[in-house]
Amino acid sequence: MGNLIKKYEHEVVTDDFDLAGKASSAIKRVLKNLGISPQLVRRVAIISYEAEINIIIHSHGGKIILEIYDDRIRIKAQDRGPGIEDIELALSEGFSTADRKARELGFGAGMGLPNIRKNADGFKIESSSSGTKIEIDIIMD
Ligand SMILES: Nc1ncnc2c1ncn2[C@@H]1O[C@H](COP(=O)(O)OP(=O)(O)OP(=O)(O)O)[C@@H](O)[C@H]1O
Ligand SMILES: [Mg+2]
């Protein structure tokens, strides 16, 4: 585990579709400016975007944290509930509890968490009624 170089936090607000993608755009910009390779930036952007939208659609609100270490990029997404009832089911492709409004906006394919996991080198998730925490590592080579 390398040394922490920088840390950024972004608040993510429930149902705020106008600001959807703001945190992940900011994260993408920071990584680009640091000269991180486009392939890695792209993977982190997919991960942070899907995690951000999940907080907006499915949670009471929370935050996305970007931690840059000398050997990895870590994205943490944490929210204040209501939690995921069945994590294994939530991680399976096509499972979604998105409501009509979210579906009308094009969300709800049930592909966010599977795509996060696919693009991650390390993936941890824990959830209870008081909140969901996801921690994703992307190793820099
Ligand atoms: N932060 C969260 N809090 C509570 N439930 C969540 C959270 N993130 C995901 N879930 C649950 O897991 C399900 C699957 O999430 P996933 O991101 O894979 O799909 P989706 O958000 O429903 O659709 P898509 O991401 O394809 O637009 C969600 O429908 C929801 O039930
Ligand atoms: Mg999703």
Side-chain angles (χ1 to χ4, degrees):
M1 182 76 208
N3 297 310
L4 179 63
I5 296 166
K6 254 174 187 255
K7 181 170 172 168
Y8 301 84
E9 268 191 46
H10 301 273
E11 289 296 320
V12 181
V13 179
T14 311
D15 264 346
D16 197 343
F17 291 103
D18 292 340
L19 287 182
K22 195 178 170 238
S24 40
S25 299
I27 287 170
K28 201 173 167 180
R29 202 175 321 119
V30 164
L31 297 178
K32 259 192 194 167
N33 289 342
L34 281 173
I36 308 282
S37 81
Q39 292 94 320
L40 288 197
V41 174
R42 195 181 143 65
R43 283 169 61 204
V44 176
I46 291 168
I47 287 164
S48 58
Y49 180 75
E50 293 297 345
E52 180 179 3
I53 300 289
N54 279 354
I55 293 176
I56 294 171
I57 291 181
H58 304 296
S59 91
H60 301 321
K63 53 190 173 185
I64 303 271
I65 298 160
L66 166 67
E67 290 176 353
I68 299 163
Y69 293 83
D70 50 18
D71 65 343
R72 73 192 61 209
I73 295 159
R74 178 167 286 173
I75 298 286
K76 292 177 176 170
Q78 39 195 253
D79 64 54
R80 296 185 288 275
I84 299 176
E85 218 168 281
D86 183 335
I87 290 180
E88 206 182 317
L89 188 59
L91 286 169
S92 63
E93 293 189 3
F95 175 81
S96 178
T97 59
D99 64 14
R100 206 183 66 180
K101 185 182 165 204
R103 287 175 197 271
E104 276 169 2
L105 290 166
F107 305 111
M111 292 306 293
L113 288 174
N115 278 333
I116 289 174
R117 190 150 66 159
K118 253 182 231 165
N119 282 285
D121 294 315
F123 175 81
K124 284 188 217 161
I125 180 166
E126 52 182 67
S127 190
S128 72
S129 58
S130 58
T132 298
K133 276 189 187 177
I134 301 176
E135 188 179 291
I136 299 107
D137 277 357
I138 303 258
I139 306 292
M140 288 190 273
D141 29 33

